[in-house]
Amino acid sequence: MTDTDMSWTHELKSITLLADDDTPPLYAPGASEEYRAARRALSEAEMALRDHVEQVAALRRALPPGPALPEYRFTEGSPHDVTLAELFGEHRELVVYHLMFHPDDDAACAQCSLWVDGLHGVRKHITRRAALAVVAVAPVEKLRGLARRRGWHGLRLVSAHGGAFATDLGIQGSRGGLWPAVSVFTRDDGGVVRHSYTQSSNFPDGRERGMDQIAPVWHVFDLLPSGRGDFYPDNTYPLAH
């Protein structure tokens, strides 16, 4: 883990000028008593949700060690190959996003692309703590073409085309179909790589929101009075700048 420098908190007036009894408001001036009561009730529910999210995260962290994995190989750039262990770099933990991009398709799943857009935006922060890679079963040439179109610069992209990684992890179905998922792997002092955690976008009950914790778009929409609605991303509107 990289040491964190918190000295900046003592240097910014936006922090140092706060009084000990200053508290951020829950409502704007002029709010009705009906709104104020509802907002206070919502705040109680939000704090309870915060506590429950942390309880779930603690259960995730407390999972026992997963199985040791073989030396999976990926294509990172023709003809360069890289192993799963090498994807860790200097880190002991690795986050992998499984991109739904079939070898016969010319485009990836739009939903997956939205998630990877978010990971691309925060990659410099994530890689202070853990390694990060996006894996797809599409050939590396198609994967790199997609990255250019989406503006994914500096994000580690590797192809599992022709290997058993996707099927072994349960990401690829019996007929070649794919699920969106995120996985976490660990590497011990002896170099042994273990599976720690995998979650797809659907829970075992078939309902969605399995990967909400890595999707900031949905959380922002949840702040809106209109909510998430029936919004789903697509591959038509421009995203690369």
Side-chain angles (χ1 to χ4, degrees):
M1 183 185 303
T2 303
D3 291 336
T4 301
D5 180 6
M6 295 293 292
S7 62
W8 60 272
T9 62
H10 305 293
E11 299 168 356
L12 299 181
K13 288 187 176 181
S14 56
I15 296 175
T16 58
L17 292 181
L18 286 173
D20 291 340
D21 57 351
D22 283 343
T23 56
L26 290 177
Y27 26 74
S32 67
E33 183 51 41
E34 179 185 18
Y35 180 93
R36 292 175 182 232
R39 182 64 184 91
R40 288 193 294 267
L42 173 59
S43 183
E44 291 293 328
E46 289 172 330
M47 290 187 288
L49 176 61
R50 171 203 62 197
D51 294 342
H52 188 63
V53 166
E54 180 49 40
Q55 291 169 10
V56 172
L59 291 174
R60 194 181 296 116
R61 294 191 297 269
L63 285 169
L69 299 176
E71 189 182 62
Y72 292 110
R73 302 193 72 85
F74 309 93
T75 305
E76 189 166 24
S78 182
H80 179 63
D81 285 351
V82 62
T83 66
L84 181 61
E86 289 171 335
L87 290 178
F88 282 79
E90 63 183 11
H91 297 289
R92 295 171 62 96
E93 296 167 306
L94 165 67
V95 178
V96 165
Y97 185 84
H98 302 274
L99 176 67
M100 292 174 66
F101 195 177
H102 191 276
D104 295 337
D105 287 336
D106 293 323
C109 161
Q111 182 87 302
C112 278
S113 295
L114 178 149
W115 274 310
V116 177
D117 286 339
L119 291 172
H120 173 260
V122 296
R123 68 195 186 283
K124 292 181 180 179
H125 305 286
I126 293 174
T127 54
R128 295 283 292 174
R129 286 284 306 275
L132 174 66
V134 175
V135 178
V137 296
V140 70
E141 293 80 10
K142 283 191 172 183
L143 183 55
R144 292 194 174 280
L146 172 66
R148 287 192 294 272
R149 295 191 298 274
R150 301 289 298 200
W152 296 338
H153 307 297
L155 191 59
R156 195 159 196 182
L157 306 158
V158 297
S159 170
H161 182 61
F165 181 72
T167 53
D168 287 354
L169 267 291
I171 306 306
Q172 189 163 23
S174 60
R175 298 193 302 170
L178 299 162
W179 286 281
V182 61
S183 289
V184 176
F185 305 92
T186 62
R187 184 178 61 181
D188 63 22
D189 291 336
V192 176
V193 174
R194 295 184 180 275
H195 174 261
S196 177
Y197 175 82
T198 293
Q199 176 60 52
S200 74
S201 61
N202 284 19
F203 284 109
D205 62 4
R207 298 179 65 183
E208 295 183 342
R209 303 195 181 190
M211 297 194 302
D212 267 21
Q213 65 267 38
I214 65 166
V217 172
W218 303 122
H219 295 293
V220 173
F221 285 169
D222 278 342
L223 300 177
L224 305 176
S226 57
R228 301 187 186 199
D230 58 359
F231 172 83
Y232 264 80
D234 59 52
N235 287 321
T236 61
Y237 50 87
L239 291 166
H241 299 288

